[in-house]
Amino acid sequence: MALQIFNVLGREKQVFTPLEPGRVNMYVCGPTVYDHAHIGHAKTYIAFDVIVRYLRHSGYNVLYVQNLTDVGHLLDTGEDRVLRRAEQLQALPMQIVETYTRSYFEDMDALGVLRPDISPRASGHIPEQIKMIQELIDKGYAYEVNGSVYFDVTKAPDYGKLSNRRIETQEAGTREAVRGEKRNPLDFALWKRAEPEHILRWDSPWGEGFPGWHIECSAMARKYLGKTFDIHGGGIDNIFPHNECEIAQSECANDAPFARYWVLVGSLTVDGVKMSKSLGNFITIKDALKKYRPEVIRTFMLSVHYSSPVDYSEDAMQAAARGWERLYNAYRLVSQRLDSAPEGTAGEAFVEQVNRARTAFTEAMDDDFRTPAALAVLQEFTREVNSFLNSTVDIGADVLRQIEAVYRELGGGILGIIPKDAVAADSSAEREAALIELLIDLRRQARANKNYAESDRIRDELAKVGVILEDRPEGTVWRTI
RNA sequence: GGCGACGUGGCCAAGUGGUAAGGCAAGGCUCUGCAAAAGCCUGAUCACCGGUUCGAGUCCGGUCGUCGCCUCCA
């Protein structure tokens, strides 16, 4: 079955056919770097991470561009987010941008989110934005007033086609009312005149100013991906006005379709309500990582379809953690078994189950990246694997390697929920492993002598420092929590 | 008021016409010196009402409820 994607533009599931065979050009709206990233960002970017990983796994050559907004994204008070933060922290705007850009990548790296191929910054593409704005003015889609430039939404016939909004029915927002320069309330700023106190400013044909929020995406997408490209992603909360404005600007400036497939991710709530600083339920990725392993956070985010909203709660996270542990335990057992397994094809009948799992996984992912179904496939496969390992049949290294590959390639390579190595390989970890093995051997002797007080003491003491022992038919295995 | 989602077993969550995946929790059992891990067994007619259909969580209409967006947000 071919890959199908639900295209928000048109609201239907479509077979995915890239513009150029074998190649996917993809743009995803990135964060505004004025504060630490929160778990909502984690949901969005984990979703696209898995999409990119799966596209690559499917053989596509993907060029993944995700911008960093560092200028022009205003608050409803009209203040620039970055500038306000700079004032609060007594720092230069670009220090703020640099600080939170690093923080963002730090968080994404920790979550195992692969970096985009290009992470262009808005402030680094002012000339490109000015050029596009000028094109829009020249073509009659935009007009200049007092050093600011606005896009005239009445000139864009399709304005509203992504979010199904009609211009006539929209009420004017509060911010529009503040500034009465617009011809229509819904017109949006392409360029804004900088007031004297506004530090982030650039020269332009219309005087000193700064770009509007939406134009950066249009300009940078065009620069790196071309006028028309395959996939545009982002959070559903930006469908209006941001995404809608992008389409209008780009299609009017380029006389060409903008993104062909729109993939938007559902929002995240915390305990049923929207996350906000005033409610005190604002959870940063760094907070979450203190409590949960990155693989668990990913498992949680992927347990719901990307387009659906998800509610973050301690209970749900606990459930995800337990579910993840079951997968990981099985993977670890397979790896450990492999260390001592005889070479050969013994137990090869199980390969059928391996192949079935691979096929089912692919079918799930081909159907609009249904990660919940893909996770269910791994869970069912894990039940089969556990039964297989617990059975009395001889198992050769060949089969074990195939099972391990399912976890590594599908669980690790695509979903990113299986760590690369079952056990860390640095020298202190090796030393720790050797010491644990020594204790396990002492305990083995105690058990042989039916000295259970001693054997239990060893197990309990190890448990206190986070090392869990499990007695299996083939010997005692250990894991850390 | 407009746009858009959603309401499935105790909880989370799949499922877009043919008689309900998966995970967590719970109970019972098996294995174990005891554990741990694992396996097996046990449970829902899908908010409500009406309609289309041989047949509907699954399509249509309505009711109730929840949420998101329309103003900053991934």
Side-chain angles (χ1 to χ4, degrees):
Chain A
M1 189 177 73
L3 173 64
Q4 291 189 289
I5 296 180
F6 181 83
N7 193 347
V8 177
L9 187 60
R11 315 256 169 184
E12 64 173 5
K13 209 181 274 185
Q14 301 168 340
V15 172
F16 178 67
T17 47
L19 208 53
E20 187 185 324
R23 164 137 199 135
V24 177
N25 278 180
M26 174 164 162
Y27 187 95
V28 171
C29 287
T32 301
V33 283
Y34 71 108
D35 202 348
H36 292 296
H38 57 245
I39 52 179
H41 293 107
K43 178 185 194 295
T44 299
Y45 299 120
I46 286 170
F48 288 111
D49 180 49
V50 170
I51 287 172
V52 168
R53 285 167 180 243
Y54 188 66
L55 289 170
R56 288 189 174 136
H57 171 85
S58 302
Y60 290 108
N61 178 13
V62 180
L63 179 60
Y64 178 20
V65 177
Q66 183 192 109
N67 67 296
L68 292 164
T69 298
D70 61 356
V71 63
H73 196 173
L74 307 184
L75 294 155
D76 52 9
T77 57
E79 286 177 283
D80 184 294
R81 287 156 190 280
V82 171
L83 287 182
R84 192 180 68 161
R85 191 75 176 155
E87 280 166 26
Q88 287 172 343
L89 298 180
Q90 295 286 298
L92 293 170
M94 283 302 136
Q95 274 183 288
I96 297 299
V97 167
E98 201 58 43
T99 298
Y100 293 112
T101 297
R102 289 178 194 178
S103 168
Y104 172 69
F105 282 125
E106 210 174 272
D107 293 344
M108 291 299 135
D109 289 348
L111 289 173
V113 171
L114 302 178
R115 296 213 180 182
D117 297 301
I118 304 174
S119 300
R121 282 191 195 180
S123 68
H125 296 74
I126 301 296
E128 288 85 349
Q129 297 180 68
I130 289 175
K131 181 167 183 290
M132 189 172 249
I133 294 167
Q134 189 60 57
E135 289 169 20
L136 288 168
I137 294 175
D138 294 344
K139 288 184 173 183
Y141 292 112
Y143 55 93
E144 189 245 313
V145 185
N146 298 328
S148 292
V149 181
Y150 296 96
F151 186 92
D152 184 347
V153 296
T154 62
K155 299 282 172 55
D158 290 340
Y159 189 74
K161 69 178 174 183
L162 184 70
S163 57
N164 284 332
R165 282 168 216 263
R166 283 172 198 77
I167 296 173
E168 317 83 66
T169 62
Q170 297 299 310
E171 291 174 15
T174 49
R175 209 170 78 214
E176 280 77 16
V178 174
R179 207 180 255 256
E181 300 173 340
K182 300 177 184 180
R183 291 179 188 166
N184 306 292
L186 284 179
D187 288 354
F188 54 90
L190 297 169
W191 187 264
K192 287 220 168 190
R193 177 187 66 249
E195 302 301 331
E197 67 276 13
H198 199 100
I199 318 173
L200 285 174
R201 55 203 297 144
W202 288 266
D203 279 326
S204 81
W206 319 286
E208 286 202 350
F210 57 96
W213 175 36
H214 315 301
I215 192 71
E216 58 170 280
C217 288
S218 289
M220 297 192 293
R222 180 170 78 176
K223 174 165 183 170
Y224 298 109
L225 300 174
K227 293 177 177 177
T228 302
F229 57 94
D230 299 297
I231 298 175
H232 187 122
I236 188 76
D237 48 341
N238 273 335
I239 189 171
F240 190 90
H242 183 63
N243 296 153
E244 205 68 76
C245 295
E246 283 182 74
I247 293 176
Q249 295 161 344
S250 292
E251 300 198 336
C252 289
N254 299 335
D255 292 316
F258 190 44
R260 302 171 60 240
Y261 297 86
W262 280 82
V263 177
L264 301 178
V265 177
S267 301
L268 178 143
T269 52
V270 173
D271 294 323
V273 296
K274 192 169 147 169
M275 184 163 47
S276 75
K277 286 176 182 171
S278 55
L279 285 175
N281 64 350
F282 189 87
I283 302 173
T284 64
I285 291 171
K286 293 180 204 306
D287 290 337
L289 282 168
K290 283 176 196 156
K291 302 178 80 166
Y292 305 104
R293 320 181 35 133
E295 296 87 357
V296 167
I297 296 174
R298 291 181 71 103
T299 299
F300 171 72
M301 299 296 180
L302 298 175
S303 68
V304 178
H305 187 74
Y306 73 80
S307 62
S308 298
V310 66
D311 187 49
Y312 181 97
S313 67
E314 293 303 322
D315 283 353
M317 287 301 293
Q318 283 298 336
R322 294 300 187 79
W324 174 80
E325 279 168 18
R326 184 160 166 277
L327 295 178
Y328 187 47
N329 283 341
Y331 164 64
R332 198 158 35 189
L333 276 179
V334 171
S335 295
Q336 287 170 344
R337 183 82 167 249
L338 204 42
D339 290 339
S340 57
E343 282 302 323
T345 60
E348 65 184 340
F350 192 77
V351 171
E352 190 186 325
Q353 266 105 302
V354 171
N355 292 333
R356 252 206 324 258
R358 282 183 174 277
T359 302
F361 186 94
T362 302
E363 281 176 359
M365 292 299 287
D366 273 345
D367 184 10
D368 197 27
F369 312 106
R370 283 175 47 207
T371 54
L375 281 171
V377 169
L378 292 184
Q379 288 287 172
E380 286 181 89
F381 179 65
T382 293
R383 174 159 25 82
E384 293 168 349
V385 168
N386 280 322
S387 294
F388 184 54
L389 294 178
N390 289 335
S391 71
T392 54
V393 302
D394 293 328
I395 306 175
D398 283 358
V399 183
L400 290 170
R401 271 192 285 267
Q402 289 199 50
I403 295 171
E404 191 183 44
V406 168
Y407 286 106
R408 287 201 174 167
E409 291 167 23
L410 308 186
I414 295 173
L415 300 182
I417 60 171
I418 299 293
K420 279 204 173 55
D421 297 301
V423 180
D426 60 83
S427 63
S428 73
E430 279 178 24
R431 187 160 51 229
E432 178 186 307
L435 289 168
I436 293 169
E437 292 295 341
L438 176 65
L439 287 165
I440 287 175
D441 194 54
L442 289 172
R443 178 165 170 276
R444 186 183 56 73
Q445 292 172 27
R447 294 179 73 211
N449 297 329
K450 294 207 187 320
N451 183 355
Y452 295 122
E454 180 64 8
S455 69
D456 287 352
R457 194 177 73 86
I458 291 173
R459 185 172 59 193
D460 292 346
E461 290 300 320
L462 281 174
K464 281 182 191 166
V465 296
V467 178
I468 306 299
L469 301 189
E470 294 174 11
D471 296 327
R472 299 183 57 80
E474 64 271 20
T476 300
V477 297
W478 65 276
R479 63 189 165 90
T480 54
I481 52 173

